[in-house]
C-alpha cells in the first residue's frame, strides 16, 4: 500500500508526519517534565510582580497549631472541629435522637411522614438491641407510633392556633395604626 505525498507550498513535496518511536516520545515527555518547574516558577514570579499575593489573610503570621510533635491525623481533627462532627456510640446517638425526636417530628407536615420517621427510629432501636453493645448500655426504648402521632398532632394544633392568634393580633395592630398623613403633592 503506497501513500501519496501531498504537496506543500510552491509545489514542493511535504514529508508526512510519522509517529515518533516510543523512546523519543518518552524522552520528550521527560524533557517537558524537567522544564515544568521553571514554567511554574515563572508563573509564581509574575503573580508576585503583579501583587496577587499581597494582603492575603494570615500574611506575616505564624502557621497555627504547628506544635512540636507530628500528628498524622491533624487534618482529621481539624475537620471534626471545623464541621462540628460528633461521633457517638450507637446507644448514645439513639438516646440523643430520642431526646430530640419531638422537635424533629414538629418539622413534618403530614401524619404519614411522622409515622415513617418513628417507624425508622423504632427499627434502629430494635436493631441496636440485638447487636453487641458498643459503649454504654442501650436504655432507649421504641416509641408507640400511635401515641407519638397523637402527641405530634396536639403540638401541631397548638402551634397552628398560636400562629393564627399572632396573625390576628398583627392585623388588629395594623388596623389600629392611623394612616400616615398624605402630603399635598401626593394627592
Amino acid at each position: 500500500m503506497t501513500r501519496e505525498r501531498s504537496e506543500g507550498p510552491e509545489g514542493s513535496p511535504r514529508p508526512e508526519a510519522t509517529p515518533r518511536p516510543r523512546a523519543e516520545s518518552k524522552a520528550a515527555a521527560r524533557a517537558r517534565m524537567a522544564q515544568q518547574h521553571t514554567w511554574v516558577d515563572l508563573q509564581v514570579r509574575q503573580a508576585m510582580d503583579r501583587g496577587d499575593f499581597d494582603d492575603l489573610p494570615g500574611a506575616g503570621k505564624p502557621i497555627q497549631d504547628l506544635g512540636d510533635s507530628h500528628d498524622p491525623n491533624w487534618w482529621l481533627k481539624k475537620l471534626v472541629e471545623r464541621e462540628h462532627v460528633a461521633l457517638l456510640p450507637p446507644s448514645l446517638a439513639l438516646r440523643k435522637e430520642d431526646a430530640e425526636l419531638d422537635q424533629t417530628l414538629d418539622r413534618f407536615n403530614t401524619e404519614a411522614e411522622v409515622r415513617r420517621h418513628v417507624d425508622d427510629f423504632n427499627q434502629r432501636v430494635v436493631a441496636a438491641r440485638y447487636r453487641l453493645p458498643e459503649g454504654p448500655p442501650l436504655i432507649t426504648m421504641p416509641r408507640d407510633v400511635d401515641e407519638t402521632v397523637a402527641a405530634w398532632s396536639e403540638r401541631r394544633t397548638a402551634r397552628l392556633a398560636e400562629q393564627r392568634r399572632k396573625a390576628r393580633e398583627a392585623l388588629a395592630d395594623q388596623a389600629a395604626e392611623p394612616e400616615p398623613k398624605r402630603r399635598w403633592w401626593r394627592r
Side-chain angles (χ1 to χ4, degrees):
M1 180 164 108
T2 61
R3 290 192 175 176
E4 296 179 16
R5 291 185 139 196
S6 61
E7 293 185 10
E10 303 162 5
S12 62
R14 184 172 53 196
E16 284 189 25
T18 58
R20 288 192 274 189
R22 187 170 175 89
E24 278 184 41
S25 151
K26 282 187 175 182
R30 251 186 260 114
R32 281 193 305 273
M33 290 300 290
Q35 295 300 316
Q36 184 176 12
H37 69 85
T38 57
W39 180 82
V40 170
D41 289 340
L42 175 69
Q43 296 299 316
V44 170
R45 207 171 309 115
Q46 287 175 350
M48 287 171 66
D49 291 342
R50 285 192 309 263
D52 291 349
F53 297 125
D54 296 346
D55 300 326
L56 288 176
K61 297 177 186 172
I63 299 174
Q64 292 180 354
D65 302 328
L66 268 183
D68 296 331
S69 62
H70 173 68
D71 183 10
N73 294 327
W74 66 269
W75 63 273
L76 185 60
K77 291 176 183 174
K78 286 290 186 188
L79 176 73
V80 167
E81 181 182 319
R82 184 179 64 242
E83 300 295 328
H84 304 291
V85 176
L87 300 175
L88 295 174
S91 58
L92 290 181
L94 284 170
R95 193 181 306 176
K96 181 179 179 189
E97 185 179 349
D98 184 39
E100 298 169 353
L101 190 62
D102 290 339
Q103 294 169 354
T104 304
L105 295 178
D106 287 346
R107 287 183 270 167
F108 295 128
N109 293 323
T110 64
E111 183 178 323
E113 290 175 316
V114 173
R115 285 185 181 278
R116 189 175 21 238
H117 193 80
V118 173
D119 283 337
D120 176 58
F121 172 77
N122 287 341
Q123 287 173 359
R124 285 184 285 123
V125 168
V126 170
R129 287 195 167 280
Y130 287 112
R131 281 193 303 251
L132 288 174
E134 301 171 20
L138 178 66
I139 60 171
T140 306
M141 298 299 292
R143 290 211 181 177
D144 184 335
V145 177
D146 292 329
E147 285 179 17
T148 306
V149 168
W152 167 81
S153 180
E154 289 174 13
R155 286 192 310 273
R156 183 170 185 256
T157 304
R159 191 172 56 249
L160 291 175
E162 181 67 20
Q163 288 174 352
R164 283 190 217 106
R165 185 187 62 76
K166 285 182 180 179
R168 279 195 302 267
E169 286 177 2
L171 285 175
D173 289 346
Q174 210 173 33
E177 289 180 11
E179 243 184 83
K181 190 174 181 182
R182 294 180 72 170
R183 303 286 183 214
W184 63 269
W185 59 83
R186 296 209 179 212
R187 289 185 184 167

